[in-house]
Amino acid sequence: MPDGANSILVRRRRRDQAAATRAPRGQRGTPSLAALAAVFALAQLVLVRPVLGLGWDEIVYVSQVTTHHPAAFFSAPRSRGVSLLVAPVASWSASVPLLRVYLALLSGLALYLALRAWRGLFPTRVLVVAGALFASLWVTLFYGPQAMPNYWVAIGALIGVGCFLRARAERSSSRALWGLAAGGALMAWMRPTDAVYVAVPLLVLALARRHWRPLLVLAAGLAAGAVPWVIEAYLSHGGLGARLAEASRIQGGLGWQIAVDDQLRSLGGRALCRPCTGSMPSPLVTVWWFVLPVPAVLGLVVAARARRLEGTLVPLACATTAALPYLFMIGYAAPRFLQPTYALLAIPVADALWHLVRSPGGAWRPVAAPLVALALAGHLAAQLAVLDGAVSRNTESRRDWARTADTLHRLGVRPPCLLTGHEAIPLAYYTGCSSGATSGNNENMTVAGVLRTADRLPVAHLAAAGDAPARYARSWPVHRISDLDVRVAPGP
């Protein structure tokens, strides 16, 4: 009996010692991931710069929580997640640089946490390269410090898929289940429809394998994130079906529409490609898009040979379903739409790249390693060139909005005031006015409402130079500001 007790104690002590030796190894990759996240945050501040003014969509989200500007019209496809994300800063400060710094630091922290969700599923070196591949895309750097939802859907997708795989591998891990719920909630909080497309393979796999806990946890996370959107659908849009129908109409009608060529055109630095006309970007800019499936498939082959197929197949499946609506269901494109796909593809691609440059024994391959390094260097150079052009164009366009706002102030259009017509939403924000539309996707008032407002407040109607104005503004005095015809209503 004493011998039996001693043997039990010895075995327990050995288990404790093994756990103690494993713990440092588990923590060994943390500094590398933290360093990558820090570099990503710093790169945003240096390359995009905090002085970049707010864009059109950002204005809609930020204006919902700030007290310094009237709230812009909030259309059916949008969700309140971004507004709540920026509320800790935007609710008390109108400083755009402060908001940019806050979002850059937050996006860096989020990338670190998202990659940590995959520890134990892939080696740390794979996760660092995967994070670097995703973080070095111009679209990731450009939108990381912006008040936009797609980067955060990508982060939620990384956390959710990683924690789903860990929850299946570690059945007793409550931390993985909490992460799975958080990832699902974050995606649905930002864009409920995108969250559904990302989560479909996870839900199907959990249901097919009868893994009820991950299934229920993921469903609960998605539901928790979507609750505000659903409640708003019934309060402001006539119900969930009506809101989905209105969102589809605003997006041009969801259905079979090939937008692959539109996405290719947007890779040259266009924030929104609608309508998506013009020539294709240089092949040096788009070549990575055609090459991307090759290492993704190679990563699948590597995983199959290593008998860890599921850890690679699941993110590939989620990346595919996330991309489907934006490649084949809408008639326009924006590069940010595919951020969740890029984030999920980065992990199997990084795994394949490590397989190409290192042999199973750990030695560097003398031919493949330099070629892969050269290809990645060229890819990074192209991404930074596109980023520089995108930042320059957007900085100038937003400065132009600010200059137009200054001229409107000199014409007597000062807060409280109302702007209608062409680009009314961004120009109203820069001017400090409310924005109104009597038709179109942002319709929020009637002609009679505009005229009643003109009896009390300064009102101006905006039109592209030479375009016919709205009927109610035809008799108003016209002023040319840059490429706009501005008609200011006679004073109250």
Side-chain angles (χ1 to χ4, degrees):
M1 187 70 178
D3 292 340
N6 286 336
S7 64
I8 292 173
L9 291 174
V10 168
R11 285 198 298 270
R12 182 177 299 172
R13 191 176 297 115
R14 286 174 178 171
R15 285 198 302 268
D16 293 342
Q17 289 173 350
T21 56
R22 284 196 300 269
R25 269 201 302 273
Q27 298 297 326
R28 197 174 297 164
T30 301
S32 301
L33 298 177
L36 170 66
V39 170
F40 173 55
L42 181 62
Q44 295 174 55
L45 299 175
V46 172
L47 299 174
V48 182
R49 298 184 291 275
V51 295
L52 177 68
L54 294 181
W56 188 316
D57 292 285
E58 289 186 289
I59 286 168
V60 175
Y61 292 119
V62 172
S63 67
Q64 308 303 310
V65 294
T66 183
T67 58
H68 306 90
H69 298 271
F73 177 73
F74 204 80
S75 62
R78 301 186 187 276
S79 182
R80 302 279 174 176
V82 175
S83 299
L84 296 175
L85 184 75
V86 301
V89 171
S91 60
W92 59 271
S93 174
S95 171
V96 173
L98 180 62
L99 181 63
R100 295 280 185 235
V101 172
Y102 162 74
L103 288 173
L105 296 177
L106 194 62
S107 63
L109 175 62
L111 181 63
Y112 167 73
L113 295 175
L115 293 174
R116 276 197 59 146
W118 289 80
R119 289 198 314 163
L121 299 170
F122 287 88
T124 299
R125 65 177 184 273
V126 172
L127 300 181
V128 171
V129 171
L133 289 173
F134 176 59
S136 61
L137 293 175
W138 77 262
V139 66
T140 308
L141 286 165
F142 185 67
Y143 285 106
Q146 296 198 44
M148 298 291 280
N150 307 88
Y151 173 81
W152 297 99
V153 176
I155 291 297
L158 278 176
I159 294 173
V161 176
C163 288
F164 177 85
L165 292 170
R166 291 182 64 175
R168 283 170 48 79
E170 308 165 13
R171 300 293 179 86
S172 60
S173 175
S174 60
R175 183 178 299 181
L177 291 174
W178 279 109
L180 175 59
L186 179 60
M187 289 191 293
W189 194 35
M190 293 295 167
R191 289 188 71 89
T193 51
D194 285 12
V196 171
Y197 281 106
V198 172
V200 162
L202 306 183
L203 296 170
V204 170
L205 180 60
L207 187 62
R209 298 286 181 86
R210 297 183 180 181
H211 292 162
W212 305 120
R213 289 183 70 193
L215 176 64
L216 294 176
V217 168
L218 176 58
L222 293 171
V227 160
W229 198 83
V230 174
I231 292 175
E232 188 178 39
Y234 285 97
L235 292 178
S236 304
H237 298 276
L240 183 58
R243 183 169 195 176
L244 290 170
E246 177 67 6
S248 175
R249 184 192 67 79
I250 289 173
Q251 292 173 308
L254 298 180
W256 178 251
Q257 302 179 77
I258 297 178
V260 177
D261 55 336
D262 295 343
Q263 284 291 345
L264 279 170
R265 288 187 176 89
S266 72
L267 292 178
R270 299 173 67 172
L272 181 64
C273 203
R274 186 180 189 183
C276 206
T277 56
S279 59
M280 288 286 182
S282 164
L284 294 176
V285 172
T286 59
V287 64
W288 70 273
W289 219 61
F290 296 99
V291 172
L292 188 60
V294 177
V297 173
L298 177 60
L300 194 62
V301 174
V302 171
R305 289 180 176 177
R307 296 183 179 179
R308 49 178 175 82
L309 182 62
E310 186 175 282
T312 298
L313 185 59
V314 170
L316 285 177
C318 293
T320 301
T321 56
L324 286 177
Y326 293 115
L327 293 178
F328 303 108
M329 293 181 66
I330 63 174
Y332 65 97
R336 58 187 172 86
F337 291 163
L338 296 181
Q339 280 186 282
T341 296
Y342 299 148
L344 292 169
L345 285 178
I347 291 178
V349 166
D351 194 25
L353 292 180
W354 273 109
H355 177 77
L356 286 175
V357 302
R358 298 189 74 169
S359 66
W364 294 101
R365 301 184 192 271
V367 176
L371 289 177
V372 170
L374 184 63
L376 290 177
H379 170 67
L380 178 61
Q383 294 299 304
L384 293 179
V386 175
L387 176 66
D388 182 67
V391 170
S392 298
R393 287 191 300 274
N394 282 273
T395 299
E396 183 56 34
S397 67
R398 296 169 195 190
R399 286 176 178 167
D400 191 50
W401 285 340
R403 288 190 290 265
T404 301
D406 290 339
T407 306
L408 285 168
H409 289 161
R410 288 194 294 271
L411 292 174
V413 183
R414 299 186 183 90
C417 47
L418 172 68
L419 296 187
T420 66
H422 181 66
E423 294 191 337
I425 287 179
L427 285 170
Y429 184 89
Y430 279 82
T431 310
C433 301
S434 298
S435 58
T438 59
S439 62
N441 294 336
N442 297 309
E443 180 180 350
N444 63 345
M445 63 191 315
T446 63
V447 172
V450 173
L451 297 177
R452 281 196 303 269
T453 303
D455 290 336
R456 302 180 292 105
L457 303 174
V459 174
H461 174 79
L462 313 171
D467 285 358
R471 182 175 300 177
Y472 61 81
R474 288 177 182 174
S475 62
W476 296 354
V478 61
H479 308 268
R480 176 63 59 86
I481 303 177
S482 183
D483 57 351
L484 294 174
D485 285 338
V486 177
R487 289 170 169 80
V488 180

